[in-house]
Amino acid sequence: MSTASQVATHTTPADPAHPAVGAATSLLDAYTPGDHFLATPGRTLLSRGPGRHVPHDERPLTARVHAALTAAVTAGQESPVVIGAIPFDHTAPAALSVPESVRTAPALASDPLIALPAAVPAAGTWEIRQVPEPEIYGKGVTAAVERMWRGEFSKVVLARTLELTSGAPLDLPAMLQRLARRDPSGYTFALPTGPGRTLIGASPELLVSRHGEQVVANPLAGSTPRSADLAEDVRRAATLLESVKDLHEHAVVVDAVHQALAPHCTELTVPARPTLIRTATMWHLSTTVTGTLRSPDTSALKLALALHPTPAVCGTPTQTARQVITETEPFDRGFFTGVVGWGNAEGDGDWVVTIRCAEAEERTLRLYAGAGVVAASEPEAETAETAAKFRTFLSAVGAEL
């Protein structure tokens, strides 16, 4: 299921001589608040208008999604897809729906027009409140490290937020343009999560994809901020590849992904050492795990829920880390460190870790950033890492911390 026509009910026409020129960016340009927009390295999707909402009830989420897709097929809809967001707390309501139609195009990165610069953010003032304040966040890191040295757990991901309030209504299409054009090879999304609320962001991390029998996961863990100076940027990348602390943090996540996928695959390939990927603001240790599916009945969504949350966004052991997060973070994560993506009735799909994101409502943005805390962590370094991760979104709105 790799072609756009197999994924959705409507495919953007393309010039056979230039199949990608303008196809993906036209969907980016067409986005308006309330639409579902999702761009992956394989395709770009845009849906508009009413659809079948996936209800929140006692049934497993996979069963509810299957029922919604089956109902769409029964109603005569051709190749329906589910699209949307799943929260960090798996017991909270998801924001998933099966649109009546989806326009699709190739990947943004394959469209030459994506190289055109986005408009500079309009001049304006932002009121910024840090929750918690950096000093309080650092104390939380210190407390977690002390508990790790006592043997209570081995890793926790602690996050903080920025609450941005604008004097004017938010321009979500302009924000989406800047996010997409800054990192077109990543996963860019703008998804409604409630009346007047939008989850918007650009994540570098694929949780899992399934296309036919092939399964791919790309866990990221271990990060360092980039530098505008080329020599320093290369030095930081090389240092990250040799960092004992970061390599250990990464290995914990890769092992968890391996353990979660192994029961569902007949074979699984896990590289012995990570490589590097980069975004506009960060270097990340990266491992691409590939496998062959054991049963065609195992959907991409089922795999995503088996993986979620990985130690990269929660910690280990999972239940202990969740409790530490609840005790330490003075806010509800909502959809941050949850999952966004799409899936079809055949079980194919792409599901992405929800990071580098914000929740938008009227004139307010809540930005999120987290850092993996292990026994070797230092409060100043983890605070600096979250500040660097905020830069992805701050640059998209023309704000500075």
Side-chain angles (χ1 to χ4, degrees), residues 219-241:
L220 308 181
S223 308
T224 193
R226 301 204 49 200
S227 171
D229 178 82
L230 178 59
E232 173 62 15
D233 196 42
V234 171
R235 187 196 69 78
R236 291 183 184 184
T239 299
L240 180 61
L241 270 176

Side-chain angles (χ1 to χ4, degrees), residues 115-342:
L116 297 175
V120 176
T125 57
W126 291 93
E127 179 183 329
I128 301 179
R129 187 167 76 97
Q130 303 188 59
V131 182
E133 292 288 342
E135 296 79 9
I136 302 300
Y137 178 79
K139 289 179 179 178
V141 171
T142 298
V145 168
E146 290 174 351
R147 293 178 64 178
M148 279 183 262
W149 281 108
R150 294 199 297 267
E152 295 183 34
F153 54 95
S154 57
K155 177 185 176 180
V156 66
V157 177
L158 294 179
R160 61 191 186 105
T161 72
L162 299 181
E163 294 181 357
L164 276 63
T165 303
S166 172
L170 301 178
D171 189 345
L172 294 181
M175 291 180 199
L176 186 65
Q177 287 277 349
R178 287 188 284 272
L179 289 168
R181 292 178 184 276
R182 193 174 195 197
D183 283 311
S185 60
Y187 301 86
T188 305
F189 52 88
L191 303 166
T193 55
R197 296 196 303 274
T198 300
L199 179 68
I200 182 170
S203 174
E205 185 170 4
L206 172 69
L207 180 62
V208 68
S209 70
R210 195 210 96 163
H211 298 279
E213 296 182 341
Q214 299 306 304
V215 175
V216 179
N218 183 208
L220 308 181
S223 308
T224 193
R226 301 204 49 200
S227 171
D229 178 82
L230 178 59
E232 173 62 15
D233 196 42
V234 171
R235 187 196 69 78
R236 291 183 184 184
T239 299
L240 180 61
L241 270 176
E242 300 300 325
S243 167
V244 174
K245 177 255 186 187
D246 289 289
L247 287 170
H248 170 69
E249 180 184 343
H250 187 80
V252 169
V253 177
V254 172
D255 183 63
V257 169
H258 185 183
Q259 296 301 319
L261 290 180
H264 302 287
C265 295
T266 56
E267 55 185 68
L268 208 55
T269 301
V270 183
R273 284 185 61 85
T275 57
L276 288 172
I277 69 165
R278 63 187 177 186
T279 67
T281 60
M282 301 293 295
W283 286 105
H284 297 282
L285 292 177
S286 165
T287 294
T288 300
V289 178
T290 58
T292 302
L293 201 62
R294 187 178 301 277
S295 168
D297 295 331
T298 304
S299 67
L301 178 59
K302 183 175 181 178
L303 295 173
L305 295 177
L307 287 164
H308 173 64
T310 72
V313 297
C314 183
T316 187
T318 302
Q319 291 307 315
T320 305
R322 277 187 180 275
Q323 185 60 37
V324 174
I325 288 168
T326 300
E327 295 169 355
T328 307
E329 295 178 356
F331 54 86
D332 183 348
R333 286 192 177 188
F335 290 94
F336 171 63
T337 60
V339 186
V340 297
W342 72 274

